[in-house]
Amino acid sequence: MRAGLDNQDAEPLLMTPPAVQEFKWKQCLVIRGDIRMSCGKISAQAAHAAVAAYERCDRETREQWLREGQKKVVLKAKDERGLLELKTIAEAQGIAAALIQDAGLTELPPGTTTALGLGPARTGEMDRVTADLPLL
C-alpha cells in the first residue's frame, strides 16, 4: 500500500486541516533583546522561564492550560529594564511572573537577567500586558 492511499485503486486521502483553535489560556516567554545569546542559550532561558512561571501559578490555572494544549508565545523585550517593568505590570494584574538570571556557566556573566516567564493566564489578560512586544 502506498502512503496516502487506502489501496492502489483508491483516490488519495484528503487531509483536512485542523480547525483553528481559539486558546483561552497562554504563557508568554519574554527574552531580553540587548544581549547576544546563541540559539541554544535562548532556548534554555525560555525553558527556564516557562517552568518557573508555571510553578508560580495556582493549580486550577495550570490544569486549564495543560488541558487546552499549553500555548506558548516567545516575545522580545528591548532590554533588562523592559523585562523588569513588564514583570511589575504583570504581577499587578495578577499574572504569575518569573525573572530568570543566568548561572554564568557558559556564555554570560553570572546573574545576567535573560528572560521573563509570564503565566499561564487567560489570553485576554496576557494580551493586555504583552500586546506591544514583538515576536522573537
Side-chain angles (χ1 to χ4, degrees):
M1 208 179 290
R2 292 179 288 168
L5 297 177
D6 284 332
N7 64 46
Q8 291 196 4
D9 297 325
E11 292 295 316
L13 298 174
L14 298 177
M15 299 300 291
T16 304
V20 175
Q21 180 176 350
E22 292 294 325
F23 287 92
K24 295 178 184 174
W25 300 88
K26 74 176 173 181
Q27 184 179 56
C28 288
L29 312 170
V30 188
I31 304 300
R32 185 172 159 186
D34 66 329
I35 54 176
R36 280 186 68 85
M37 293 184 278
S38 68
C39 183
K41 178 58 113 179
I42 290 170
S43 298
Q45 299 306 298
H48 291 317
V51 172
Y54 172 85
E55 289 178 340
R56 287 173 169 77
C57 289
D58 64 83
R59 182 178 176 194
E60 180 62 27
T61 296
R62 291 192 309 251
E63 288 176 359
Q64 291 288 339
W65 178 69
L66 288 170
R67 192 174 305 120
E68 188 180 66
Q70 305 170 41
K71 180 178 181 176
K72 295 170 200 71
V73 178
V74 183
L75 305 167
K76 180 170 61 171
K78 182 178 177 182
D79 53 22
E80 183 178 23
R81 181 177 178 169
L83 288 179
L84 296 172
E85 290 173 356
L86 189 61
K87 179 180 186 288
T88 300
I89 293 166
E91 289 175 334
Q93 299 297 315
I95 296 173
L99 202 60
I100 303 303
Q101 293 183 326
D102 193 65
L105 301 176
T106 56
E107 299 177 20
L108 301 170
T112 302
T113 301
T114 57
L116 175 66
L118 299 174
R122 291 195 174 275
T123 297
E125 295 170 7
M126 189 69 78
D127 288 346
R128 283 191 287 278
V129 173
T130 62
D132 293 334
L133 297 175
L135 292 172
L136 180 65

